């Protein structure tokens, strides 16, 4: 326990020097880079101006640098939380699992089947969850203290609930907090007739909208109305306009919502409620001046591969219904399996479907029980062995994040390689979010979003000692 | 007619029991406080009332292709002679001369099988499972007065080959009262009676849990309630025995305890509706080891078969049903570990675990072995044979399946001097089947109870 | 129309004979529709379709589903369908071979009623099927490869949705290939409901006449094709033989506590059976009597309409004490109907304990669909000919479900829904060793939990 004592002293010191502008050197560290470069058993990570300046066994801390000796400890990237409901007013709940008929009352026969009937939802794909994020909430800072250095919050309702936002968890103003209000499109298909019809209908509309875009511009139209991304196929429409990152957000004069090429009218101005109906008229057919449905336009972007799309499908059953509903419609997608259920098909039973969808996977980090059984299956391990890129859905509460390492240990103990488990909470979700050029691994030039443990992160006795966000040390909550 | 077993036979039984105990002795040795009181069956009955020793019936010679005496090898082309309710002779038609005056009933290629015995049945009254749950224990209740031979399900029972049932109170309270061992046919209930009390009915855990908040919500309270009542019964019994031996005053007669006295005299068993490992363990400890009672487990389902060696060593038999499987959820580290979920046959489990029925060869008390029961009308009375079929499906040997329907339950309940097999001197309860009686495709052609035709199949409108 | 044959005649005919004799079909009785399970054609027509994978099941005793057995025969399967059945069949080199020597091969069981397996309660079955429902494996272990799903219906006119759900484990697109083969309604109908039904039938007939007239015209324009009147779609389909009409009677299918039903209930007694047959006459097609209680009293009337029946052999409804000979349930009902030429299937007892028409881990074995053969066995107990009793769960069940084109027997052109068993399919000791649905092995006893520990 000496570590604890000395650490407490260190903490006090750090609290004082939190705004220190000097470079920081984490020395004598085991460095888990989360890249193919693997780990460095004993080396230094040098942090300057919010970024990782250098790392390696031979890196010397420059004169005047703050030096933190992490001998025996480990440095790894901060957790990247890609699918969070933190801070949203109505915390979304996982759908109720189907009742297990084997757990019926003793000797009374199976319980009547209760079929959850989720509503089918509607299309509000252009609605930004960012507009509903209230910045002054403790939860972001609390998560950050537990190591979540990158946080994306998403809307969650059946159908096309809207656009997820990427947050800087230390932001204190809305502008600082929301760094990308259109991080990805969320789809949460409902497995019922109406839900499947919604998918089909909306993607059909989106296909038409896409065809419209690709038509040559009509001469009499004012030039301003087109500017469609299709005209400049090389341009990555979303990325360049995003606010620059890495710098201190305070320095950025709040260019919050850079107009995207196909920027829809503000969703709030849309008269229709989020949960129901389609637009009054299909835009393609409306004459003369076709009004574009922003929700459909967002889906057209999806089909065009211009927006990242996260589809919430926790089971193979849902994937099969998706394929049944959308037919041959394909686009790059991340399958989010936050409520896996072995009674509806484990993801390792749906590798063919995942490959057909070309999907990468974000799933809940836990062992699944076989139906009617106490036997547990390590689904992440099986997906990993099948070569499926694998990220984890992280918990939404600070206590859950503290617990996360134990979930990972469980998976590692039963066969998932430790490296894959840790990448699944760092580099992989960063890649899925398209921010792997900024964070998620320890590479010179990337943001210094780092966690320092006083042992192996997958050792239950190790503790999280330091959290760095953009090179800035996050102080521990003194009450803990 | 009732003769107590021969002395040598008894001694043999005790020796066998002792040997079995010594063999399996781990339990007994580790827990010296648990002494198994085998005791003796009484030479005469003081409390129990027995059925008639002989029932009027014509002289018949039943001929059939196959006779299954159950306790002896099958007889091909056999004949069974019956008169006044009893079997007079049994053997190959070629070997048994049919005396003058016997009506020959030729059943052709039917199988002649003993009538089945169901130890867990609630049907003999109008209505269903019967419960008078005034108190947690109700030793003053009895089903004797409810037996009527006109009950629809008794008629169906005959069509299903069931000729003896232990009609017991329901399991709504821990001690439902005293059951009646009766034939399913008779001109009067008195004629049909085999023995009253057939048993004391006790129910453990599950059904009798008292959610009212009274004592008996959990097994603790249930055990306490049972122990209190049984202890009163034992004191009452001991007071009478002492008085008979010339020690002490004559006890005051107490109607509510009188039948408990017969229980402690081992005139009849306690039939315990009990299931689940922990509850069976506790039942055997409390009733068999602590109270020294003649104990029979009925409605034995779920996973208690894991205790079969201990239960068998304790001289406690089990009638299983009506579920016949325990869904084992398996467990262990990963698929393919061999510990996966399975439909485990309850009786296959009991039998495989050592409950073979050879710990004691004496009747009743101390006898182990397996049987099936219906819990009718939960499962209709006539479907007793389907219970055996399902037990065999899930791993029980065929020949044990037929024992579990006949002689085994007769032995547990102490009625194998009358029913359960085809032997000279036993009751003429014969059922003629169209084939293997365990196969649901077979039907009953003719049922004979106490030598009388009780059911004959009408091919256009069979009862069952 | 006088439907009431003298009861005496009906009774005289209703003896239990082991065979289905052709000379019985006389008088006004409509000849039964062609048997779906004709003898297999050893030399099936050359495959036009492209087959990507072949499977051959060889050497087993093949019960083809209509009561006949081909010893040591080969079944050649091309993808999801049976290509050929018989002896001396040339097996393509690349075929996967399944050796069934010493085993019994039978069509997968088609149950006419099952709940709680794979399908939910939605209005479109294909949109809420769960191809990974673990109950599917339990049902396959019981030999069930398809079942009839129904939703709605049961009112005073034919209505409702239905589908043949194939238990194609893990493969949603293969689970529903036949839809809306069955509609249902109920009896008794009061006078006004009956009048309404007659009116609808009249409208439907008028429409059919117009269609015929239209089709007769040489210069008919497609847009002039007569449109059917509102609300008679299902009725039209029934009248044209495109859909089977199931008729139930209120609580007739109930079993009560312990399978014992109080007498005399508003069940499917003789009067209701007659009314159902009246509906059959009205629509000009045989109907399906859904768990009749007293159809055994009038078997020839049932046969005369070309109707079929779902029987619950273990149903117990007491007789009227005054008329024990022609009231109440009868375990011989299946046998009596069969002797009159009425195809039957069976269903399990419902009500009270037992589990009902489902599989699970809390029911009572022998009284639910873990053992569908038990109710077929009870039909045999009542006198149904043992030799052909497998039909009850295969071919005749498929006919009753309107799916005989696709399932119910092992013959060329049908779906390859096949069981390999270790004995007589209706024996209580027999287990399914493996089950194929749509030509794919979806269950193996030795590889699944449930029964692998049972080795004989």
């Amino acid at each position: 326990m000496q570590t604890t004592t000395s650490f407490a002293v260190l903490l006090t010191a750090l609290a004082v020097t939190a705004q220190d502008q000097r470079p920081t050197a984490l020395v004598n560290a085991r460095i888990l880079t989360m890249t193919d470069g693997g780990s460095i058993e004993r080396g230094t990570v040098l942090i300057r101006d919010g970024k990782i300046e250098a790392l390696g066994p031979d890196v010397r801390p420059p004169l005047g640098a703050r030096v933190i000796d992490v001998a025996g400890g480990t440095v790894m990237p901060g957790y990247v939380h890609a699918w969070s409901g933190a801070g949203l007013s109505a915390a979304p709940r996982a759908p109720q699992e189907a009742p297990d008929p084997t757990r019926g009352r003793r000797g009374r026969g199976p319980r009547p089947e209760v079929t959850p009937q989720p509503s089918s939802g509607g299309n509000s794909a252009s609605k930004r969850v960012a507009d509903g994020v209230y910045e002054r909430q403790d939860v972001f800072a609390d998560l950050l203290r537990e190591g979540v250095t990158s946080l994306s919050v998403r809307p969650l309702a059946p159908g096309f609930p809207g656009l997820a936002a990427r947050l800087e968890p230390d932001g204190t103003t809305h502008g600082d907090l929301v760094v990308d209000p259109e991080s990805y499109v969320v789809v949460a298909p409902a497995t019922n007739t109406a839900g499947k019809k919604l998918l089909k209908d909306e993607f059909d509309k989106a296909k038409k909208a896409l065809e419209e875009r690709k038509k040559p511009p009509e001469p009499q139209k004012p030039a301003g109305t087109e500017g469609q991304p299709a005209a400049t196929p090389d341009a990555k429409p979303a990325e360049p306009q995003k606010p620059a990152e890495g710098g201190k957000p305070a320095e950025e004069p709040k260019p919050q919502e850079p107009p995207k090429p196909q920027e829809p009218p503000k969703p709030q101005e849309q008269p229709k409620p989020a949960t129901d109906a389609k637009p009054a008229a299909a835009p393609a057919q409306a004459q003369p001046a076709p009004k574009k449905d922003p929700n459909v336009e967002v889906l057209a972007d999806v089909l065009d591969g211009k927006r990242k799309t996260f589809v919430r499908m926790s089971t193979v059953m849902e994937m099969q219904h998706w394929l049944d509903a959308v037919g041959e419609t394909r686009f790059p997608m991340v399958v989010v399996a936050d409520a896996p259920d072995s009674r509806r098909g484990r993801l390792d039973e749906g590798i063919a479907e995942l490959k057909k969808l070309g999907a990468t996977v974000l799933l809940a980090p836990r062992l699944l029980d076989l139906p009617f059984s106490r036997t547990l299956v390590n689904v992440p391990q099986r997906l990993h062995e099948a070569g499926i890129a694998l990220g984890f859905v992280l918990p939404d509460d600070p206590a859950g994040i503290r617990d996360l390492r134990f979930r990972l240990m469980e998976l590692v103990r039963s066969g998932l390689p430790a490296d894959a488990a840790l990448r699944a909470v760092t580099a992989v979700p960063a890649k899925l979010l398209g921010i792997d050029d900024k964070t998620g691994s320890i590479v010179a030039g990337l943001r210094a979003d780092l966690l320092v443990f006083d042992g192996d992160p997958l050792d239950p006795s190790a503790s999280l000692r330091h959290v760095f966000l953009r090179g800035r040390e996050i102080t521990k909550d003194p009450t803990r | 007619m009732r003769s107590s077993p021969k002395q040598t036979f008894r001694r043999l039984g005790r020796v066998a029991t002792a040997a079995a105990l010594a063999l399996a002795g781990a339990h007994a040795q580790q827990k010296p406080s648990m002494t198994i009181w085998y005791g003796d069956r009484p030479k005469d009955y003081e409390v129990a009332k027995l059925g008639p020793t002989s029932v009027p019936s014509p002289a018949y010679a039943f001929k059939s292709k196959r006779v299954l005496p159950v306790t002896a090898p099958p007889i091909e082309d056999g004949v069974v002679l019956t008169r006044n309710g009893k079997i007079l002779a049994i053997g190959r038609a070629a070997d048994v001369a049919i005396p003058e005056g016997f009506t020959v009933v030729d059943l052709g290629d039917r199988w002649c099988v003993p009538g089945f015995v169901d130890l867990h049945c609630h049907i003999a009254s109008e209505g269903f499972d019967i419960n008078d749950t005034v108190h947690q224990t109700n030793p003053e209740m009895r089903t004797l007065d409810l037996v009527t031979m006109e009950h629809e399900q008794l008629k169906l029972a005959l069509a299903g080959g069931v000729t003896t049932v232990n009609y017991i109170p329901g399991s709504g309270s821990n001690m439902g009262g005293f059951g009646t061992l009766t034939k399913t046919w008779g001109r009067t209930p008195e004629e049909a009676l085999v023995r009253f009390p057939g048993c004391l009915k006790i129910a453990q855990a599950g059904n009798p849990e008292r959610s009212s908040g009274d004592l008996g919500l959990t097994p603790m309270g249930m055990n306490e309630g049972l122990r209190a009542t049984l202890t009163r019964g034992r004191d009452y019994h001991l007071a009478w025995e002492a008085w008979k031996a010339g020690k002490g005053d004559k006890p005051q007669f107490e109607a509510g305890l009188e039948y408990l006295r017969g229980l402690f005299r081992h005139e009849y068993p306690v039939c315990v509706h009990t299931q689940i490992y922990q509850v069976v363990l506790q039942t055997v400890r409390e009733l068999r080891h602590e109270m020294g009672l003649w104990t029979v487990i009925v409605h034995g389902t779920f996973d208690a078969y894991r205790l079969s060696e201990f239960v068998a060593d304790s001289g406690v038999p089990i009638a299983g049903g009506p579920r016949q499987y325990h869904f084992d959820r398996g467990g262990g580290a990963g698929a393919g570990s061999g510990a996966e979920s399975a439909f485990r046959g309850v009786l296959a489990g009991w039998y495989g675990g050592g409950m073979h029925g050879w710990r004691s060869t004496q009747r009743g008390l101390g006898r182990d072995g397996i049987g099936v029961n219906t819990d009718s009308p939960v499962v209709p009375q006539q479907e007793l044979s389907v219970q055996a079929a399902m037990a065999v499906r899930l791993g029980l040997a065929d020949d044990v399946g037929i024992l579990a329907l006949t002689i085994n339950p007769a032995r547990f309940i102490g009625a194998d001097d009358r029913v359960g097999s085809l032997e000279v001197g036993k009751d003429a309860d014969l059922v003629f089947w169209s084939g293997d009686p365990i196969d649901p495709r077979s039907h009953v052609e003719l049922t004979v109870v106490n030598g009388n035709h009780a059911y004959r199949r009408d091919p256009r409108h069979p009862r069952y | 129309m006088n439907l009431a044959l003298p009861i005496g005649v009906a009774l005289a005919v209703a003896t239990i004979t082991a065979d289905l004799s052709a000379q019985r079909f006389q008088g006004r009785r409509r000849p039964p529709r062609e048997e779906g399970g004709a003898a297999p054609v050893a030399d099936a027509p050359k495959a036009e379709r492209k087959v990507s994978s072949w499977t051959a099941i060889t050497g087993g005793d093949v019960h083809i589903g209509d009561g006949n057995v081909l010893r040591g025969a080969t079944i050649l399967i091309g993808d999801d369908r049976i290509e050929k059945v018989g002896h001396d069949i040339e097996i393509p080199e690349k075929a996967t071979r399944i050796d069934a020597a010493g085993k019994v091969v039978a069509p997968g069981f088609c149950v006419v009623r099952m709940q709680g397996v794979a399908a939910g309660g939605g209005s479109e079955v294909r949109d809420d099927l769960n191809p990974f429902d673990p109950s599917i494996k339990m049902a396959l272990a019981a030999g069930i490869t398809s079942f009839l799903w129904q939703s709605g219906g049961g009112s005073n006119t034919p209505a409702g949705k239905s589908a043949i759900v194939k238990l194609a484990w893990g493969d949603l697109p293969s689970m529903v290939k036949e839809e809306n083969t069955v509609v249902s309604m109920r009896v008794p109908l009061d006078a006004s409901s009956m009048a309404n039904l007659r009116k609808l039938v009249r409208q439907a007939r008028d429409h059919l006449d117009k269609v015929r007239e239209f089709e007769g015209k040489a210069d008919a324009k497609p847009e002039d094709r007569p449109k059917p009147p509102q609300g008679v779609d299902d009725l039209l389909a029934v009248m044209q033989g495109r859909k089977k009409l199931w008729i139930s009677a209120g609580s007739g299918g109930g079993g009560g506590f312990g399978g014992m039903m109080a007498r005399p209930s508003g069940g499917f007694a003789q009067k209701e059976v007659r009314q159902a047959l009246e509906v059959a006459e009205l629509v000009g097609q045989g109907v399906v009597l859904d768990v009749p209680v007293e159809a055994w009293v009038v078997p020839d009337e049932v046969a005369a309409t070309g109707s079929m029946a779902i029987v619950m052999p273990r149903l117990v409804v007491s007789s009227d004490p005054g008329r024990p000979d022609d009231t109440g349930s009868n375990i011989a009902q299946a046998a009596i109907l069969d002797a009159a030429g009425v195809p039957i299937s069976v269903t399990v007892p419902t009500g009270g304990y037992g589990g009902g028409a489902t599989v699970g881990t809390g029911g009572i074995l022998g009284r639910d669909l873990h053992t569908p053969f038990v109710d077929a066995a009870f039909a045999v107990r009542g006198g149904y000919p043992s030799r052909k009793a497998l039909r009850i769960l295969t071919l005749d069940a498929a006919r009753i479900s309107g799916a005989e084109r696709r399932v119910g027997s092992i013959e060329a052109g049908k779906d390859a829904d096949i069981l390999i068993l270790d004995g007589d399919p209706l024996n209580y000791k027999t287990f399914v060793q493996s089950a194929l649905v749509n030509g794919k092995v979806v269950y193996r006893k030795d590889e699944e939990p449930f029964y692998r520990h049972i080795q004989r």
Side-chain angles (χ1 to χ4, degrees), chain A residues 100 102 106-107 372-375, chain B residues 206 302 323 327 329-330 334-335 341:
Chain A
D100 179 352
T102 65
R106 209 164 42 222
F372 302 127
S373 171
R374 297 190 190 95
T375 302
Chain B
F302 296 108
R323 177 162 292 139
F327 190 77
R329 298 178 74 88
S341 45

Side-chain angles (χ1 to χ4, degrees), chain A residues 369-456:
Chain A
D369 55 334
L370 286 177
F372 302 127
S373 171
R374 297 190 190 95
T375 302
L376 298 170
V377 176
N378 192 334
V379 176
Q381 179 202 0
R382 292 187 178 186
L383 292 182
H384 175 76
E385 284 167 3
I388 305 274
L390 183 73
F392 286 138
V393 179
L394 272 51
D396 268 348
D397 57 314
I401 297 291
R402 266 200 297 284
D403 217 34
L404 173 65
R405 288 193 296 130
F406 294 91
R407 301 285 79 76
L408 300 183
M409 286 171 213
E410 219 167 61
L411 295 170
V412 169
R413 192 184 60 169
S414 57
L416 181 69
D419 181 58
L422 292 173
R423 279 194 197 208
V425 295
T426 55
V428 175
K431 180 139 177 48
L432 300 183
L433 290 168
I435 55 171
D436 51 326
D437 56 345
K438 300 180 182 66
T439 187
S441 54
I442 304 183
V443 174
L446 262 54
R447 293 166 33 148
D449 295 343
L450 301 171
L451 310 181
V452 181
F453 291 90
D454 59 7
D456 186 312

Side-chain angles (χ1 to χ4, degrees), chain B residues 11-327:
Chain B
R11 219 174 291 127
L12 211 92
R14 279 200 294 274
V15 169
T17 308
L21 280 173
L23 271 174
H27 296 287
Q29 280 164 21
Q30 279 166 13
K31 299 178 180 64
S33 61
M34 261 196 248
T35 50
I36 301 176
W37 176 22
Y38 278 90
D40 282 327
R41 282 167 52 74
K43 292 186 178 53
D44 46 26
Y45 288 86
E46 273 184 24
V47 182
K49 174 183 166 192
L50 298 182
T53 51
S54 128
V55 169
S57 80
Y60 285 121
F62 294 102
K63 291 172 79 172
S64 64
K65 181 90 181 99
R66 195 151 212 251
V67 179
L68 293 186
V70 172
T71 44
I75 300 164
E76 302 301 327
D77 292 318
V79 64
V80 183
L81 302 184
T82 69
R83 192 174 56 202
N84 286 338
K86 298 291 173 192
I87 295 172
L88 302 183
I90 181 169
R92 286 171 52 86
D95 302 338
V96 177
I98 298 173
E100 195 82 9
F102 278 69
T103 310
V104 175
V105 185
D106 192 343
L107 273 301
D109 60 357
R110 310 289 180 222
W111 294 28
C112 176
V113 180
F116 297 155
V117 181
D118 190 347
L119 297 189
H120 195 111
C121 147
H122 304 298
I123 58 160
S125 80
E126 290 297 331
F128 299 133
D129 199 10
I130 57 165
N131 287 298
D132 237 318
T133 56
V134 182
H135 309 294
Q136 188 186 358
T137 59
N138 299 282
E140 63 285 353
M141 305 277 181
R142 62 181 204 176
T143 61
L144 179 67
D145 318 302
L146 304 179
V147 179
T148 153
M149 306 322 292
E150 293 308 308
H151 195 276
E152 197 73 20
Q153 289 234 11
L154 287 182
K155 295 178 182 173
L156 285 162
L158 291 168
V162 181
T163 56
T164 305
V165 294
N166 187 30
Y167 167 45
I168 54 180
S171 50
S173 69
N174 283 135
M175 190 182 283
F178 287 86
T180 309
L181 191 64
T182 175
K183 296 288 178 74
T184 52
W185 183 90
R187 280 159 286 226
T188 61
E190 289 72 23
E191 183 184 300
L193 183 71
V194 178
R195 183 182 70 216
F196 177 80
C199 70
L200 169 68
K201 168 70 186 297
I202 282 181
Q204 294 276 46
N207 293 355
E209 281 166 13
R210 297 198 134 196
S211 48
S212 59
D214 294 337
L215 185 69
L217 176 64
T218 73
M220 293 189 295
M222 295 193 216
N223 295 349
E224 173 51 30
L226 285 173
R227 186 176 278 111
T229 304
L230 288 171
T231 305
R232 277 174 60 216
R234 183 164 63 185
D235 292 347
Y236 181 71
H237 153 72
L238 291 173
W240 277 98
E241 296 297 317
W243 174 72
K244 282 195 290 182
K247 302 169 203 155
D249 300 334
K250 183 173 185 181
Q252 187 157 9
F253 179 82
E254 281 195 54
L257 297 177
E258 186 62 13
Y259 289 128
L260 289 176
R261 191 159 79 80
L263 193 69
F264 284 96
R265 285 175 49 79
H266 297 149
E267 294 180 20
Y268 37 83
V270 51
C271 285
V272 196
H273 176 151
T274 190
Q275 46 197 8
I276 312 169
Y277 187 96
Q278 183 263 334
V279 187
V280 169
L281 185 63
Q282 167 253 314
T283 294
V284 172
R285 280 179 178 159
E286 179 173 341
L287 300 179
R288 184 78 189 98
H289 295 238
E290 185 184 327
M291 292 288 168
L293 295 174
W294 172 4
T295 307
V296 175
I297 294 172
V298 289
H299 202 298
T301 50
F302 296 108
D303 59 341
Y305 60 82
R306 297 178 203 279
L307 282 164
S308 58
E309 196 174 343
F310 165 68
V311 178
D313 287 347
S314 303
V316 174
I318 180 252
R323 177 162 292 139
Q324 292 303 350
Y325 67 80
H326 165 63
F327 190 77

Side-chain angles (χ1 to χ4, degrees), chain A residues 297-366:
Chain A
E297 293 300 316
V298 166
L299 297 187
D301 291 348
V302 165
L303 295 181
D304 212 10
K306 290 185 173 127
R307 283 182 189 265
K308 297 194 174 300
T309 311
F310 283 38
V311 183
R312 183 178 196 243
M313 293 191 285
S314 294
T315 63
V316 191
M317 169 190 170
E318 288 161 275
M319 292 199 287
Q320 291 192 350
H321 280 289
W322 170 279
L323 288 165
D324 185 45
V326 306
E328 290 307 310
T329 304
R330 295 283 182 279
F331 50 84
M333 68 161 74
V334 176
V335 163
V336 181
D338 58 349
D341 178 357
S342 61
R343 308 174 67 91
R344 290 163 191 251
R346 305 183 313 266
L347 253 51
D348 61 299
E349 294 174 301
I351 286 165
E353 283 80 1
L354 285 170
K355 291 195 167 154
K356 203 181 269 185
L357 291 165
T360 45
V361 175
L362 205 56
L363 83 163
R366 58 182 168 94

Side-chain angles (χ1 to χ4, degrees), chain A residues 370-375, chain B residues 326-331 338-344, chain C residues 138 361 448-453:
Chain A
L370 286 177
F372 302 127
S373 171
R374 297 190 190 95
T375 302
Chain B
H326 165 63
F327 190 77
D328 182 349
R329 298 178 74 88
E340 285 172 33
S341 45
F343 286 95
R344 305 223 178 260
Chain C
M138 284 193 184
T361 57
E448 302 284 346
F450 311 144
Y451 303 120
R452 57 194 268 175
H453 60 294

